[in-house]
Amino acid sequence: MGQPCFLVENFFNRRMFPLHVGTGPNASFGDEEATGAEAFRIANARRWSGDRWMPITANVQHTLTVQCDRVRAANMVALDRGHNLAGEEILLRCSQDGGTTWETCFDVVLPTVVGAGTLDDNLGCRTEEGAWLLRFPSRAAARWQLVIPAMGVGLVPQVVGLWLGYAFAPQDGLRFPVAPDQTQLLLEETISEAGWRGRNAPGLVRTDTLNFKMGAQGLYDYELGRYHIQGLFGGGRPMWILYDDEQAHAAVLAIRPGNDTLGFARTPDWFYPQASVPWVEHEPLRP
Amino acid sequence: MSTPQPKDLLFRAGGLTLERYGVPVWRRAPISRGGEEWKETFTRADGGTPVCALLGRDGLYHLVQQNALRVEYVPNVDVGDGLGPRTRATLLLEGSRINRLPQPLNFGAWALAGGAPAAVGGQADPFGGTGAWLLTDNSGAIAQNYSVVAAGLTSDGTKGMAIFLKQGTAAVTTVQVFDLTAALNRIAINVTWNGSAAPTLTIAQGVGQVWTPTPVPGAPGWWRIPFNGQGLVAANGNNFIVLPAGLVAASQGTVLAYCAQLEDGVFPSSPLPTTIFRQSDLLQVPIGWGGRDLTVLARFIRPLWADATVNLGAESPGVFDLGDAATNKVWSSSSAAARIWHWNVESGGASADAPPAIPAGAILDLTVRLKNSQTLAPFVELELSTGTLVGGAGTTQALKVFANPRMRVGGQSNGSNSIWANLLDLIVADGAFSRADMLALP
């Protein structure tokens, strides 16, 4: 049994980090971008394969680069489903000299099949819905770059969503109950007099509540929880949730449900902060 | 006093902060929507210096942008947390000087003497690039050489120098500074190549110092050659010369060279592809202190060197002075044998202990407690020098607490009392806490 892990930070998200800029043409994150497939789309979490970044020139190396406003550490990356990089090589690298020289964080070939894998696997882990996640030894730099070498004749990379940031792994884990695969069937139905059911096309959405209950070091974990969970996720930003970092294939991208209440609280029965954080799957696939 | 809680921490900074919070400086503050409310300011007087270098997580040196807060990963650091030696992120505190050699990376622009063939660029350099140059002496009748005249020295005296060299075919390579006005060598060092072992440095002419060459990680065969020369006259022409095959006219051979430097100061500094010879940068953070007791925990990896006192090559102990006797009282310190040093300073009262020397490889763990009766700014300065620290307006502090609104880590780059330090952890708490409590913080 592993530990839970959450990734909500994204250096490429300019609403989250307004001072971050790209280094491509017109401050784009991409070295190239086709009209209608601009690089800003990698951080808008639309999760639709038509809403993606695509460069123009086929069969050459392409990059996505972000210049941060300060030195930042990152230890996790996620590629959302809809990318065409399975079986392809990608590199993440960082630079402390403005991009003149680079330090490679990892250089991997993305797995092509789903397999039970840990988040820390050398090749990362392909999730059940086709996303790819990897946690790596943290690095710190002001400039970060995802490199996609030439993919072959006629091929250009397609990136629907990209997350790069520092993951939050609460020391005290999560408290029961946990239901990582719990779903909600969303539909409207009418029942006839004979008992026949008429339904519209259903939506199947994973949903659960994260129960944080801080322990001995809880006050300091609360600092992190306040930032990642309460501040960023609570602000409506999508977050990768892994109940068990040894089963990264079951990761889910979630958002905060509307009109709920979220916040760490201290109650009479427990000294340290605790919180119940509901989530719903963000833009699920059709069942 | 109870265990410090997050609400008591005014801010924390350092490598451990980076590994925990993802940013080099973390301060208790409301999270504004969609971003961060505050961040540190960092200044570094790079001037004309192109780049410095540091050790990356991959164990190799990497070049660093100008005026940027730099993160260096130091291997085999045991901070006493039970996890054993590990590679730790640190904030490299290093000042900067201006390299007085024009074209320090472009040997192709250097003057040729004795019919030396043009330098051949595009050679593999110590940083994985191709910026190195092949220098050749192909004459058996004269010591051919490559030279450039230093420009802009600010004063007479000792000047720190360094160059990266890799053995070619020559048995001995010489690097010297020739005073064109006085017509004499201020310093000439012979670099005797020893195969895969470290080259031997000897002073052939002039007066100066040499230190143990530093190998470059990940670049076998490359060595940084640090030395200095005494008695340089700023107004004279000081010609920095590389003789690939040494001073002996009959000798021939080649050497690979990269990044030469000559600076005002005893020891060579930036550009700094090495692990030693560092001055202080200045990291400045507002602390919003309320005027009550203040506790500061600072941990540095490796000693903080004083430019005027340290023996660089041997990394022998430096001296770390904590305040003057009237202002800051040292009330405990560990034995010299300890790897982790705990120093405690309390404002007010006379100094009880004389600050000891810090052994090589030590981690400096410093706790400062300031009482609210101390109202004059700055409260504490930790200065690296042979003299004592005064509670006034110094310019070479390693760590400095102002009453409000800021705290300084590092120092001002004024060319003296330089330090070399990797900041592991710095925590400022609003209240009086014990060292044990501070060290127990996650």
Side-chain angles (χ1 to χ4, degrees):
Chain A
M1 184 70 180
Q3 291 291 312
C5 180
F6 309 96
L7 176 65
V8 62
E9 267 196 347
N10 188 0
F11 297 167
F12 289 94
N13 186 335
R14 293 187 62 180
R15 294 186 66 189
M16 191 181 296
F17 300 108
L19 299 180
H20 288 197
V21 296
T23 61
N26 301 316
S28 167
F29 294 126
D31 61 331
E32 289 181 355
E33 56 184 22
T35 301
E38 294 82 2
F40 73 83
R41 299 174 187 274
I42 61 174
N44 65 7
R46 294 298 303 158
R47 310 204 78 189
W48 173 47
S49 58
D51 189 303
R52 80 291 194 209
W53 167 71
M54 285 181 67
I56 301 168
T57 310
N59 199 22
V60 299
Q61 173 178 293
H62 289 291
T63 58
L64 288 163
T65 310
V66 59
Q67 175 67 43
C68 303
D69 59 338
R70 65 192 293 193
V71 169
R72 294 187 186 277
N75 68 346
M76 188 169 166
V77 65
L79 273 174
D80 204 356
R81 68 186 186 219
H83 65 79
N84 65 344
L85 300 176
E88 302 289 343
E89 178 188 15
I90 67 168
L91 298 79
L92 181 71
R93 56 189 193 177
C94 58
S95 172
Q96 298 205 47
D97 63 357
T100 304
T101 61
W102 296 91
E103 181 179 352
T104 301
C105 304
F106 61 76
D107 181 350
V108 301
V109 175
L110 267 58
T112 56
V113 296
V114 181
T118 75
L119 187 58
D120 304 308
D121 191 287
N122 287 342
L123 298 180
C125 184
R126 182 181 172 95
T127 71
E128 293 162 338
E129 60 176 349
W132 174 79
L133 309 174
L134 172 65
R135 185 167 59 189
F136 54 93
S138 67
R139 306 286 181 108
R143 183 171 294 200
W144 294 83
Q145 184 175 71
L146 187 77
V147 181
I148 306 165
M151 297 171 63
V153 177
L155 295 177
V156 294
Q158 171 175 304
V159 177
V160 173
L162 174 63
W163 278 257
L164 173 66
Y166 212 75
F168 171 48
Q171 182 172 316
D172 295 302
L174 294 172
R175 297 302 171 102
F176 293 134
V178 292
D181 291 323
Q182 177 175 269
T183 59
Q184 183 179 16
L185 191 66
L186 303 173
L187 53 81
E188 291 186 3
E189 68 178 5
T190 300
I191 303 176
S192 72
E193 291 180 357
W196 288 39
R197 296 172 183 269
R199 294 180 171 181
N200 67 340
L204 191 63
V205 181
R206 292 170 66 178
T207 182
D208 189 28
T209 297
L210 305 172
N211 294 299
F212 294 94
K213 192 172 185 180
M214 303 302 187
Q217 300 292 346
L219 292 177
Y220 286 92
D221 256 7
Y222 163 60
E223 283 185 304
L224 295 169
R226 184 168 177 254
Y227 170 65
H228 291 278
I229 304 298
Q230 194 168 305
L232 297 180
F233 177 72
R237 296 185 171 82
M239 177 171 72
W240 288 98
I241 295 177
L242 293 91
Y243 279 79
D244 183 345
D245 58 9
E246 293 180 358
Q247 298 185 56
H249 59 280
V252 60
L253 184 65
I255 58 168
R256 178 182 179 180
N259 305 309
D260 73 330
T261 301
L262 185 154
F264 284 85
R266 296 172 78 163
T267 60
D269 62 335
W270 189 252
F271 175 77
Y272 298 107
Q274 53 185 328
S276 292
V277 180
W279 59 267
V280 295
E281 185 177 4
H282 182 49
E283 309 290 3
L285 293 171
R286 291 281 299 276
Chain B
M1 188 67 191
S2 61
T3 302
Q5 298 184 13
K7 67 180 178 60
D8 300 315
L9 301 190
L10 297 172
F11 77 90
R12 55 198 307 174
L16 295 185
T17 300
L18 187 68
E19 290 181 338
R20 178 174 174 79
Y21 296 98
V23 288
V25 178
W26 176 269
R27 184 185 178 219
R28 180 172 62 89
I31 299 172
S32 60
R33 288 179 180 274
E36 295 161 318
E37 182 173 298
W38 171 90
K39 66 177 183 176
E40 73 284 351
T41 60
F42 178 79
T43 55
R44 170 176 165 73
D46 288 271
T49 303
V51 287
C52 295
L54 52 71
L55 204 55
R57 183 145 202 161
D58 54 8
L60 304 177
Y61 281 114
H62 295 273
L63 300 180
V64 184
Q65 198 171 16
Q66 289 187 36
N67 213 28
L69 180 59
R70 292 160 297 166
V71 181
E72 183 166 65
Y73 288 87
V74 181
N76 300 319
V77 176
D78 188 348
V79 298
D81 59 359
L83 297 176
R86 306 176 68 190
T87 296
R88 294 285 187 176
T90 65
L91 305 184
L92 171 60
L93 299 180
E94 173 203 17
S96 61
R97 298 176 184 150
I98 295 175
N99 191 350
R100 302 299 181 183
L101 293 183
Q103 305 282 4
L105 295 166
N106 182 13
F107 290 79
W110 288 30
L112 309 177
V120 180
Q123 311 293 324
D125 66 40
F127 300 97
T130 54
W133 294 79
L134 180 67
L135 311 182
T136 304
D137 180 344
N138 58 7
S139 168
I142 190 170
Q144 296 172 326
N145 64 73
Y146 302 76
S147 66
V148 67
V149 179
L153 289 173
T154 59
S155 62
D156 300 343
T158 304
K159 305 299 174 187
M161 291 166 254
I163 187 171
F164 286 89
L165 295 177
K166 182 178 181 179
Q167 183 176 9
T169 60
V172 176
T173 298
T174 299
V175 184
Q176 66 183 34
V177 174
F178 184 77
D179 188 323
L180 296 168
T181 308
L184 55 83
N185 269 324
R186 295 297 182 189
I187 184 67
I189 62 164
N190 283 337
V191 181
T192 303
W193 296 105
N194 298 320
S196 59
T200 304
L201 306 187
T202 54
I203 297 177
Q205 296 176 22
V207 181
Q209 287 178 278
V210 294
W211 295 283
T212 306
T214 308
V216 180
W222 278 103
W223 299 87
R224 188 176 192 248
I225 311 296
F227 62 101
N228 71 18
Q230 298 178 15
L232 272 70
V233 179
N236 293 353
N238 295 288
N239 205 19
F240 189 94
I241 306 171
V242 178
L243 299 96
L247 293 163
V248 179
S251 298
Q252 300 180 49
T254 63
V255 69
L256 287 158
Y258 182 75
C259 193
Q261 64 189 102
L262 186 154
E263 302 171 338
D264 291 297
V266 177
F267 306 115
S269 178
S270 306
L272 192 69
T274 183
T275 58
I276 54 176
F277 314 146
R278 288 171 186 172
Q279 292 180 269
S280 59
D281 289 344
L282 183 62
L283 174 66
Q284 192 162 243
V285 287
I287 59 177
W289 179 53
R292 298 178 294 276
D293 291 354
L294 194 69
T295 304
V296 179
L297 170 73
R299 285 190 282 181
F300 296 91
I301 296 178
R302 296 180 287 201
L304 304 174
W305 296 113
D307 206 2
T309 60
V310 65
N311 182 339
L312 291 168
E315 293 189 351
S316 64
V319 175
F320 196 80
D321 291 332
L322 301 177
D324 68 327
T327 305
N328 300 303
K329 171 188 173 185
V330 179
W331 52 274
S332 71
S333 60
S334 67
S335 67
R339 174 164 173 74
I340 299 178
W341 284 59
H342 305 298
W343 287 30
N344 296 272
V345 182
E346 187 169 332
S347 60
S351 208
D353 305 320
I358 305 169
I363 297 172
L364 178 64
D365 165 7
L366 171 69
T367 307
V368 180
R369 292 178 61 187
L370 300 174
K371 293 183 175 178
N372 60 6
S373 59
Q374 203 74 41
T375 56
L376 296 177
F379 283 129
V380 167
E381 299 172 6
L382 307 179
E383 184 178 15
L384 291 164
S385 71
T386 54
T388 57
L389 179 71
V390 296
T395 57
T396 57
Q397 307 84 5
L399 183 151
K400 185 174 182 177
V401 179
F402 288 87
N404 215 9
R406 65 194 185 279
M407 178 173 187
R408 285 179 171 178
V409 186
Q412 296 171 356
S413 301
N414 62 357
S416 63
N417 290 333
S418 60
I419 68 168
W420 156 47
N422 290 77
L423 179 63
L424 179 71
D425 202 10
L426 175 64
I427 303 176
V428 179
D430 192 6
F433 300 100
S434 71
R435 172 174 53 81
D437 284 339
M438 296 292 281
L439 285 172
L441 294 177

